[in-house]
Amino acid sequence: MKLMYCTIKVQKAILQSDVQSKSDKSPVTVADYGSQAVVSFVLERELPSESFSLVAEEDSGDLQNEEAQETLQRITKLVNDTLASDGTYSASSLSAEDVLAAIDSGKSEGGPHGRHWVLDPIDGTKGFLRGDQYAVALALLDEGKVVLGVLACPNLPLLPIGSHDDPSSHDKVGCLFFSQVGAGTEVQSLDGSPPIKVHVSSTENPEEASFFESFEAAHSLHDLSSSIANKLGVKAPPVRIDSQAKYGALSRGDGAIYLRFPHKGYREKIWDHAAGAIVVTEAGGVVTDAGGNPLDFSKGRYLDLDTGIIVTNPKLMPMLLKAVRESLDEKASSL
């Protein structure tokens, strides 16, 4: 919990102007770098007895440039202020070089052996910049299997979100999901209220189901999702939100289906799904690729997938897989 509070404090201190452009042109903020540095530093400090391995999204390459030095100093101050805020660590204890090293601790390749932490310091950066949904996603791999997941969703409403809701319109927001293999999934508000167990929707009727998909069309083929929903008879419009907050919402039954079909050539990264996947599966859900195969997090930094990712409860999965296959076949035949 302390770890998630640290990263959330970093994010809340960010200004809209604190945006850089990485070499691949995707947006990145001081929060992404600061969150990764905080998580890396705390994990490595708190886990001295084991070989520390972190697979994370960011690296310090773009912060090494001369024009980025002012940004680096701002990140360094923010990281030190965050670490010192609860009295555990002294203020100004990390230099800019220490922060760069902490960020670069996330260069591990992961794999099928040993234990690896998997981090997305801010999942859904575009949503973060819009003031919408984003998540801090942390998972632990043990011999290639996800055994623990923590999903902090600072803007996710405490009350369930429905198909006609604007998720940003709720007053009370901030959810922390925690899952451990064999122990289920719990959620609590970020104000520290007691955690409660959650479970995915138990609906068997697809007409009663609503589904989540990515807000960004670049992250999911909305037309394909619409075809699948039509074949299932889903009547509710899709709920489009950013980040792994979708996994969290699904785990507590806000919706019944999550569809993700990236454009051809896109490679899914393990940090975009590891924490969310265990949050849903421990809540009784099923997470597979489009062919019905379990997600394999043992191959390194990327997932080898059959076309896309589908998530639902065990009762709906056979119907969902059938609709997915039919829609994919129709799409292929139309090309």
Side-chain angles (χ1 to χ4, degrees):
M1 174 71 80
K2 178 179 70 176
L3 181 60
M4 289 299 102
Y5 278 136
C6 286
T7 59
I8 292 162
K9 287 174 185 176
V10 171
Q11 294 152 10
K12 286 185 176 180
I14 301 306
L15 299 175
Q16 187 79 7
S17 60
D18 289 328
V19 181
Q20 301 294 309
S21 180
K22 292 191 289 187
S23 56
D24 65 359
K25 305 304 181 185
S26 60
V28 64
T29 68
V30 174
D32 293 81
Y33 291 123
S35 293
Q36 184 158 315
V38 168
V39 174
S40 173
F41 178 80
V42 173
L43 280 176
E44 196 162 11
R45 178 68 64 89
E46 297 295 331
L47 303 170
S49 61
E50 65 177 71
S51 177
F52 178 70
S53 173
L54 177 66
V55 184
E57 181 173 15
E58 309 300 343
D59 66 66
S60 72
D62 291 313
L63 292 175
Q64 306 278 0
N65 303 324
E66 185 65 32
E67 60 269 22
Q69 292 312 295
E70 181 181 346
T71 299
L72 176 58
Q73 293 304 317
R74 196 152 66 250
I75 294 169
T76 301
K77 182 179 187 305
L78 203 52
V79 168
N80 278 310
D81 289 348
T82 301
L83 291 172
S85 61
D86 66 355
T88 304
Y89 303 99
S90 61
S92 303
S93 59
L94 299 184
S95 66
E97 289 70 26
D98 293 330
V99 170
L100 292 173
I103 293 170
D104 283 338
S105 291
K107 289 185 175 180
S108 171
E109 292 296 319
H113 305 298
R115 290 159 65 91
H116 308 281
W117 292 94
V118 179
L119 170 70
D120 194 333
I122 290 188
D123 181 34
T125 303
K126 290 183 179 179
F128 174 85
L129 296 175
R130 290 196 311 271
D132 292 335
Q133 297 302 321
Y134 66 97
V136 180
L138 181 67
L140 177 62
L141 296 183
D142 190 358
E143 302 300 311
K145 303 292 184 182
V146 185
V147 297
L148 180 149
V150 182
L151 202 57
C153 307
N155 287 341
L156 190 67
L158 299 180
L159 297 176
I161 56 177
S163 59
H164 301 291
D165 290 341
D166 174 0
S168 65
S169 67
H170 296 253
D171 292 331
K172 296 182 178 180
V173 298
C175 301
L176 181 71
F177 298 86
F178 175 82
S179 301
Q180 189 171 358
V181 66
T185 295
E186 295 183 333
V187 63
Q188 66 184 109
S189 68
L190 293 178
D191 63 11
S193 61
I196 60 172
K197 276 280 182 72
V198 293
H199 199 277
V200 297
S201 168
S202 60
T203 184
E204 301 179 47
N205 183 358
E207 291 187 4
E208 298 175 353
S210 60
F211 73 94
F212 292 98
E213 63 180 353
S214 297
F215 183 92
E216 298 288 338
H219 294 166
S220 192
L221 299 173
H222 289 169
D223 57 342
L224 180 58
S225 296
S226 178
S227 172
I228 295 167
N230 288 335
K231 290 183 181 302
L232 286 171
V234 174
K235 295 180 178 179
V239 179
R240 293 174 178 166
I241 60 177
D242 299 279
S243 83
Q244 291 177 73
K246 293 183 288 291
Y247 282 108
L250 197 77
S251 76
R252 66 183 186 186
D254 288 14
I257 299 169
Y258 168 28
L259 303 173
R260 181 178 172 97
F261 293 94
H263 290 269
K264 186 176 181 180
Y266 182 83
R267 298 186 72 189
E268 294 282 10
K269 294 88 170 176
I270 62 173
W271 53 76
D272 284 328
H273 300 283
I278 191 172
V279 163
V280 167
T281 56
E282 283 297 315
V286 184
V287 182
T288 74
D289 67 12
N293 307 299
L295 303 188
D296 186 352
F297 292 95
S298 70
K299 300 294 183 65
R301 296 170 72 87
Y302 295 94
L303 291 169
D304 292 328
L305 293 179
D306 181 349
T307 308
I309 294 175
I310 58 178
V311 185
T312 189
N313 65 42
K315 297 173 182 177
L316 287 177
M317 183 57 83
M319 289 178 279
L320 178 57
L321 280 170
K322 181 175 182 292
V324 168
R325 283 194 294 268
E326 290 175 355
S327 294
L328 287 173
D329 288 344
E330 290 175 3
K331 185 174 186 297
S333 64
S334 68
L335 297 178

